[in-house]
Amino acid sequence: MSFKDFLDQEPPPGYVAGIGRGATGFTTSADTGGIQPGFSFQNDENDDDDDENGNNSHLDAEDGSILAITSRNDKEDEEADRIYEEIEKKLRSRNKSATSKTSNANNKIVGKIDKEDQIKDKFSDLKRSLAAVSSSEWESLPEVGDLTRRNKRTRLLEQQQQRTYAVPDSVIAGSTSLGGGIQSRTDFKSISESKDKLLSSQLDRLLPQSNELNLIDAEETNRILDEKSDSQIADIRKGRSILASLRRTEPHKSSSWIASARLEEQAQNHSAAKRLIEEGCKNAPKNEDVWLESIRIHKQTSEGTKMCKVIVNEALKFNSRSEKLWLQAEELENTSDTVSRRRTLMRALEALPNNANLWRRLINLETDEEDVHKLLQRAVELCPKEWEFWLTLINLSDYKEAKNLLNKARKALDGNYFVWLTASKLEERENSSIEFKKISKLMEKAFHEVRKSHHNVPREVWLKEAETAESEGFSKTCQAIVYNLLDSESDDEQQNLNQWFNDAEAAAAKKFKETANNIYKYVIHKFPHNISSWVKLLGFLRKTSSDQSVINGFYKQAIELNPTEEIFPLMFAKDKWQIEGDIEGARSILLSAYKLLPENESIWLARVKLEVKTFNYDSAKEISETAVKLIPNSSARLWYKHIHLLRLINVKTPSDKYELRILSVLGRALELFPHTPQLHLQKAQIFLCDLKKPDFARESASIGVKQCPESIPLWILLSRIDEEHIKIVIRARSVLDTAMLKNPKSDALWAAKIQLERRNKDLVAARQLTNKALKIFPSSSCVWIEYLSLIPKMSQRKTAFVDAMKNTNNSPEILLQIGIFFWLDGKHSKAKAWFERALNNDNCNGDSWGWLYLFLDGYGTTEEKNSLLQKFNEKYEGINKGETWNATNKDLSNFEKTPVELLHHLSKSLLNKYKN
């Protein structure tokens, strides 16, 4: 007999999968068999209650449910049903009486429900009509309020809204004096409410609202203002009562009468205002203010000017020495009636002969020069302290009379510097060829008089007067003011120089060049041998002055006063050559300087440079040879420049005897200066580049590192010769290791060794060296650049960019290298931003100029490119950084190129460097 596999066998009867793990079986509508053993349906208490109430229709067979079709043929189930039926019978018989009571109660409830249904039927038509109620009507229905503790909440709200005021005793006294009683009380509540209402409407108008709301607010505001709100009425009533009390207590005080009239004027009660001010004039006739107020009020009435004239005449009877009343009387006259106005002012001067304002008004009315002169003569007699009268009279007088008047003014106005200023200008105006000493003496007296009278005139005022004198054409007076001012200041030289140069810059910025030049002239006069002052002066003049002849005059004066200083002829010759384009003039200046300083190295080198830049190589060679013969022990720099010139001439005109001559000169130079690394470098480069002898170049470099072991460029050059020309990488690496031992603090040697490993494709060693170098030199830009270059993906470099900038304090080299990485990644716009940052941080780095030019040449506008080239030309002489820039600039084949051509060539070199 064959047995089936276990999984193919039929399950035993009553088997439930997973019943041993606590699973329960269930049946579906697809099952037609009986309920399996171990499975039962259990109802909760609610289900039992439903069964008792007869609501177990879900057990009905007609329902088609699972329970209805379930077979009950099991004997145990039948026995259980029988037992349950017997128990239910006993319970029904026991609770029969309770059931009868419950049925009676249910009948009553059903009766009530029937009555409620009848009431609902009565209002059914009203409910149906609610469907026609609009949404706005629904919203307007009142809310059901919470009436709990309503009275208490209302009382608390009224207490919060209530405002109380502390009433002054004068108001209470005034109120009781007017009769007291309820009708005369001031309603402060109405004042507060009306003010709040008006204020709220004004604030609402400031908010952006619809036209309809604005119209409503405007109408409401106009209604409040037109009807004279309660606050205004209350204020006027209160003010009247207070002022009435004041008038009674102090009837001769003008302020109460004036205030009362203005209050009535505010209330539009003009007749009361006139009446009150007239009473005030009667009660306080000797007070000018009450008369002036009366004139003002009557001007607005129909009586006009005629009544005002009567009032002012009456006022002058009591106040004949009132300036304001006399001026008011003059203003009331017809403006075209000069005679009447003059007559009034003459009468005023009879009463007030020393009043300057009246004299000023009268003089302004006169048109005839002789009459003005006579009036001014009288005015200065009666008002001797008024400088304006003196100055006008002096300007109208001839020279002799003006001098007499100045003497009188000097006596009358003790310590007034305007007298001396005017005297100085007068002398300069009458005699244009007057000596500066005379003008200076007059200004010296001015400063002396000011100090004598203890008048403190700030230096800014004196400088302002100097600028005014310059604008009026009195140049010598301007100079005298500046000289005497600066001469009167403290003896602190450095502090004075800083202050004076700041004054000169401020004057030049305001286009007062003569004042600025006078300050500079004084600096020269005061400190003729102060080199720093001269340098500041000449540098500032080169920036601000467009007149080159003025600058040249200062240069000549500087050279005359300081003949042994080399800096002035060098600056003068440079400006002559580069700014004026006068090569012969520059050559003449340097030749004169050579005669004064025959052994000065800078003068010799400047002469050589001028000839080289103007392509006079023969003259340059002759001057250079003469220099090394006359002053051979001057410095290694002189020999270096001479050898460089010989190399340049050989490039232009090659010679068979070049090797012999150049090595001879190098030998003499190294004999004099054996420990100069630049000369050893130059000799190695001559063997390597000019003579094409790398073995001799290595020997020269090897001698150089022995003579100058601290020279990093010599060690790096020796290593590069071994690696690239002699092709011995192991020895190149050994050279760098030796150099690092002798110069342990040089990050450039670490960077050179990392570059060596990268060129030889040993990236593992390069990364190890980089990690070590970063621990030793965490803030080294060149080491960080190597570290960034070893990161393969641009996405991984971004976090390293932040670390590099943070550790190097935003080094310009790091900023430039980040831009190069973006350029190589194809993100040229981002690269441009980094190039600009690097250039702004250090504009002496030629590589930054080259990269930015490379971008603008390919993607920038013509204007941007031209602007960059202009800035590059201005900074060309000071650009001395950048590995590629220095190599390009020192290349002898690029010597005759212009700065623009050199920059274009540099950009190509940078691009080729990173392509390879």
Side-chain angles (χ1 to χ4, degrees), residues 69-82:
I69 63 175
T70 302
S71 175
R72 295 183 179 273
N73 297 327
D74 192 272
K75 293 181 179 180
E76 293 180 358
D77 293 339
E78 291 177 356
E79 181 67 18
D81 292 339
R82 186 181 60 79

Side-chain angles (χ1 to χ4, degrees), residues 49-246:
D49 294 340
D50 291 341
D51 292 341
E52 290 177 3
N53 294 331
N55 294 330
N56 49 358
S57 59
H58 59 282
L59 299 176
D60 195 349
E62 295 177 358
D63 193 7
S65 63
I66 296 172
L67 298 178
I69 63 175
T70 302
S71 175
R72 295 183 179 273
N73 297 327
D74 192 272
K75 293 181 179 180
E76 293 180 358
D77 293 339
E78 291 177 356
E79 181 67 18
D81 292 339
R82 186 181 60 79
I83 293 170
Y84 279 121
E85 287 177 359
E86 290 179 358
I87 292 171
E88 288 177 355
K89 287 179 181 179
K90 291 181 179 180
L91 291 173
R92 282 196 294 271
S93 61
R94 184 183 298 175
N95 298 328
K96 188 173 182 179
S97 59
T99 303
S100 61
K101 294 179 181 179
T102 303
S103 62
N104 293 331
N106 289 337
N107 291 332
K108 293 179 180 180
I109 293 170
V110 170
K112 289 181 180 179
I113 293 172
D114 292 339
K115 290 181 181 180
E116 290 177 358
D117 291 340
Q118 292 176 2
I119 294 172
K120 290 178 181 179
D121 293 338
K122 291 180 180 180
F123 293 100
S124 60
D125 55 340
L126 296 176
K127 291 180 180 179
R128 285 191 297 270
S129 64
L130 290 175
V133 177
S134 63
S135 59
S136 60
E137 291 175 343
W138 277 110
E139 292 176 356
S140 63
L141 290 175
E143 296 289 340
V144 178
D146 179 16
L147 301 181
T148 306
R149 305 176 69 183
R150 180 183 62 183
N151 294 333
K152 184 177 181 179
R153 289 199 304 274
T154 304
R155 185 172 65 256
L156 292 175
L157 182 61
E158 289 178 353
Q159 290 177 359
Q160 292 176 0
Q161 293 179 347
Q162 185 178 2
R163 298 181 184 180
T164 59
Y165 300 89
V167 183
D169 295 339
S170 58
V171 176
I172 299 174
S175 176
T176 54
S177 63
L178 292 174
I182 298 174
Q183 294 180 353
S184 61
R185 293 178 183 173
T186 303
D187 190 357
F188 290 99
K189 185 177 180 180
S190 63
I191 295 173
S192 175
E193 291 176 354
S194 58
K195 283 183 177 179
D196 291 345
K197 191 173 184 180
L198 180 60
L199 178 61
S200 62
S201 64
Q202 290 174 345
L203 291 175
D204 292 338
R205 282 192 303 177
L206 299 176
L207 300 174
Q209 296 176 344
S210 62
N211 294 332
E212 181 179 356
L213 291 175
N214 287 335
L215 180 62
I216 294 171
D217 291 340
E219 291 176 355
E220 180 68 15
T221 303
N222 291 331
R223 184 185 65 79
I224 293 171
L225 295 175
D226 292 340
E227 293 178 358
K228 291 188 186 284
S229 65
D230 294 340
S231 64
Q232 292 175 323
I233 296 172
D235 289 343
I236 291 171
R237 288 176 178 174
K238 180 177 67 175
R240 282 173 178 168
S241 62
I242 295 172
L243 292 172
S245 177
L246 290 174

Side-chain angles (χ1 to χ4, degrees), residues 284 719 858:
S719 173

